[in-house]
């Protein structure tokens, strides 16, 4: 099963919500659409679900164009941010609703509903109404309902965003585990980068209606193709350079970065030296800096430094137990190890 999205464009009046989106999703993949508010994530998911029509482009499942197939005939399971359970139906009946609509025999509906409730570990809550369930439980019921009809694709729009952090963390793992066990192709919308990094096989980073980059968590973090991706996935010190120098200071950049105008260095890659022995000459790549701020968060400390003679601040991350040596030093040197420098477009 391949889901192929080609050249999809969608406008709402003057707003271009999606601009020439192309993407292929393989069977069993867990894909996250990640991007800031308003970048088009929900619109793209709704077009795939058949709840919205694209102006241009196609969505094909296994080579078959879906544009004439109404949402209810697509056999996609959908879960939205708000649980959207039917308030007057028990958990069990909510789960079986899709099968009820398909006029399946009562016995089959009851058996399937019970099975799905077992899968999301809520068998004991079958008789309850949604108002008698916690937020996390309601979202698990919504998930069970979406899965009950054996959908070919599972579509999730920020299914965890209404939940508190602890419940969210455990449900992330639960959904991921369930998705793997069932092998169901899944697309989840989120604007939470940590959620995308922990759950997705591949992440589609979106920016104002376009795809900025597609890749695994590792690829996006290690090889961001642009400043937008670099700053959206994790933290990044972004510095302008010219001829391999930062405001005239040599940085010891790798050869690959000689023509760059913008470089990025992750805070954890910035190397700090307490009272560095600075030798003269062009080869010196330890830059003097002043400490501006310390953000101590227990296991880690973020040190904000101003490079001497340069307007730019640089954030360095280090283990929480190690920052004092730097904070108490009379002089601080900053180094950007060549192998960690990323060239940004
Ligand atoms: N029904 C609509 N009518 C008019 N404009 C719309 C409609 N739906 C979405 N838009 C616009 O299209 C753009 C993309 O919206 P979309 O809901 O897809 O964003 P999103 O990435 O899901 O954002 P969020 O993270 O806030 O949910 C936005 O500028 C939004 O205002
Ligand atoms: Mg949205």
């Amino acid at each position: 099963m391949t889901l192929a999205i080609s050249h999809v464009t969608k406008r709402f009046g003057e707003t271009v919500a999606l601009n020439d989106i192309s993407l292929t999703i393989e069977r069993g993949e867990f894909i996250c659409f990640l991007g800031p508010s308003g970048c088009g994530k929900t619109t793209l998911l709704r077009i795939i679900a058949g709840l919205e029509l694209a102006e241009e482009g196609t969505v094909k499942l296994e080579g078959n164009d879906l544009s004439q197939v109404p949402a209810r005939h697509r056999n996609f399971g959908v879960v939205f941010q708000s649980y959207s359970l039917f308030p007057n139906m028990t958990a069990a009946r909510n789960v079986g609703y899709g099968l009820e609509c398909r006029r399946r025999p009562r016995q089959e509906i009851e058996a399937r509903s019970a099975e799905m409730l077992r899968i999301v570990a809520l068998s004991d809550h079958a008789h309850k109404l949604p108002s008698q369930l916690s937020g996390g439980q309601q979202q698990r019921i919504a998930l069970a309902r979406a899965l009950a009809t054996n959908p070919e694709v599972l579509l999730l729009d920020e299914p965890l965003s209404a939940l508190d952090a602890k419940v969210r963390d455990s449900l992330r793992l639960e959904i991921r585990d369930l998705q793997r066990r069932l092998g169901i192709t899944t697309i989840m919308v989120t604007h939470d980068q940590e959620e995308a990094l922990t759950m997705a096989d591949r992440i589609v980073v979106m920016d104002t209606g376009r795809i900025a980059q597609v890749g695994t968590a590792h690829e996006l973090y290690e090889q961001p193709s642009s400043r937008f991706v670099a700053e959206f996935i994790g933290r990044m010190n972004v510095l302008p350079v010219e001829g391999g120098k930062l405001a005239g200071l040599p940085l010891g950049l790798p050869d690959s970065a000689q023509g760059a105008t913008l470089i990025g260095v992750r805070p954890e890659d910035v190397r700090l030296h307490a009272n560095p022995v600075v030798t003269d000459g062009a080869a010196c790549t330890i830059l003097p800096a002043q400490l501006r701020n310390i953000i101590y968060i227990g296991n880690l400390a973020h040190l904000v430094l101003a490079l001497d003679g340069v307007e730019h601040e640089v954030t360095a991350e280090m283990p929480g137990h190690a920052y004092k040596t730097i904070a108490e030093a009379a002089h601080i040197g900053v180094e950007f190890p060549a192998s960690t420098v990323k060239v940004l477009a």
Side-chain angles (χ1 to χ4, degrees):
M1 196 245 35
T2 305
L3 185 70
I5 298 155
S6 354
H7 303 292
V8 163
T9 292
K10 175 74 184 175
R11 293 178 200 85
F12 293 106
E14 295 289 284
T15 311
V16 183
L18 296 172
N19 192 345
D20 197 24
I21 299 278
S22 293
L23 176 72
T24 302
I25 297 167
E26 302 299 336
R27 176 193 281 275
E29 264 196 305
F30 195 122
I31 296 286
C32 274
F33 293 167
L34 175 69
S37 187
C39 71
K41 306 179 294 293
T42 295
T43 304
L44 184 54
L45 198 78
R46 287 174 58 83
I47 286 173
I48 295 168
L51 300 168
E52 199 82 70
L53 267 181
E55 261 129 40
E56 291 160 42
T58 57
V59 177
K60 291 182 178 176
L61 186 66
E62 211 71 290
N64 300 317
D65 191 343
L66 295 181
S67 53
Q68 300 305 317
V69 183
R72 65 181 184 284
H73 291 148
R74 289 196 185 189
N75 194 22
F76 289 181
V78 187
V79 178
F80 291 105
Q81 173 178 355
S82 51
Y83 323 118
S84 61
L85 296 176
F86 302 110
N88 54 338
M89 290 185 194
T90 61
R93 208 167 148 222
N94 263 287
V95 174
Y97 184 76
L99 297 166
E100 223 176 272
C101 291
R102 286 164 200 217
R103 305 191 187 289
R104 306 303 306 166
R106 192 187 177 83
Q107 254 185 341
E108 180 191 323
I109 297 174
E110 281 173 6
R112 181 71 178 156
S113 173
E115 182 192 348
M116 293 315 301
L117 284 166
R118 199 164 52 244
I119 286 181
V120 297
L122 287 175
S123 300
D124 294 346
H125 302 263
H127 60 282
K128 286 191 181 174
L129 292 173
S131 60
Q132 297 167 316
L133 296 165
S134 73
Q137 289 168 340
Q138 288 182 57
Q139 209 51 322
R140 274 147 70 198
I141 294 292
L143 192 62
R145 183 177 63 182
L147 289 168
T149 53
N150 241 329
E152 286 175 278
V153 182
L154 184 61
L155 304 172
L156 312 169
D157 192 355
E158 310 233 15
L160 307 177
S161 63
L163 305 170
D164 74 54
K166 255 220 160 91
V167 179
R168 201 165 54 221
D169 281 355
S170 67
L171 260 185
R172 274 180 193 166
L173 296 176
E174 247 177 75
I175 292 178
R176 184 67 178 121
D177 186 51
L178 188 62
Q179 187 271 340
R180 285 223 177 106
R181 264 190 293 145
L182 302 178
I184 185 169
T185 311
T186 301
I187 304 173
M188 185 175 90
V189 166
T190 178
H191 59 256
D192 182 329
Q193 51 139 325
E194 193 184 306
E195 195 156 286
L197 292 172
T198 53
M199 295 178 78
D201 292 318
R202 284 192 303 152
I203 299 167
V204 178
V205 183
M206 295 177 64
D207 178 16
T208 52
R210 289 182 178 275
I211 292 179
Q213 193 173 355
V214 182
T216 63
H218 193 263
E219 283 163 357
L220 295 177
Y221 194 78
E222 292 299 329
Q223 298 143 31
S225 63
S226 63
R227 176 177 192 160
F228 176 82
V229 176
E231 292 184 313
F232 202 77
I233 309 269
R235 292 158 184 265
M236 185 70 96
N237 293 298
V238 177
L239 302 164
V241 289
E242 217 186 305
K245 293 183 175 181
L246 171 66
L249 303 169
L251 289 173
L253 294 183
D255 289 345
S256 62
Q258 287 311 322
T261 55
L262 210 57
I263 58 161
V265 185
R266 297 280 183 204
E268 67 271 25
D269 291 331
V270 175
R271 196 173 293 158
L272 299 182
H273 302 263
N275 304 310
V277 182
V278 178
T279 51
D280 286 339
C284 170
T285 56
I286 297 178
L287 310 174
Q290 307 297 320
L291 187 58
R292 283 285 155 80
N293 202 0
I294 300 168
I295 301 147
Y296 176 73
I297 46 174
N299 60 329
L300 295 172
H302 291 137
L303 278 59
V304 182
L305 302 124
L307 297 173
D308 289 1
V310 181
E311 291 160 37
H312 296 275
E313 285 190 338
V314 168
T315 299
E317 181 181 285
M318 54 196 307
H321 59 77
Y323 80 92
K324 282 204 169 142
T325 324
I326 300 294
E328 288 162 5
H331 300 284
I332 299 172
V334 173
E335 190 183 1
F336 305 118
S339 63
T340 68
V341 170
K342 299 169 196 346
V343 176
L344 302 177

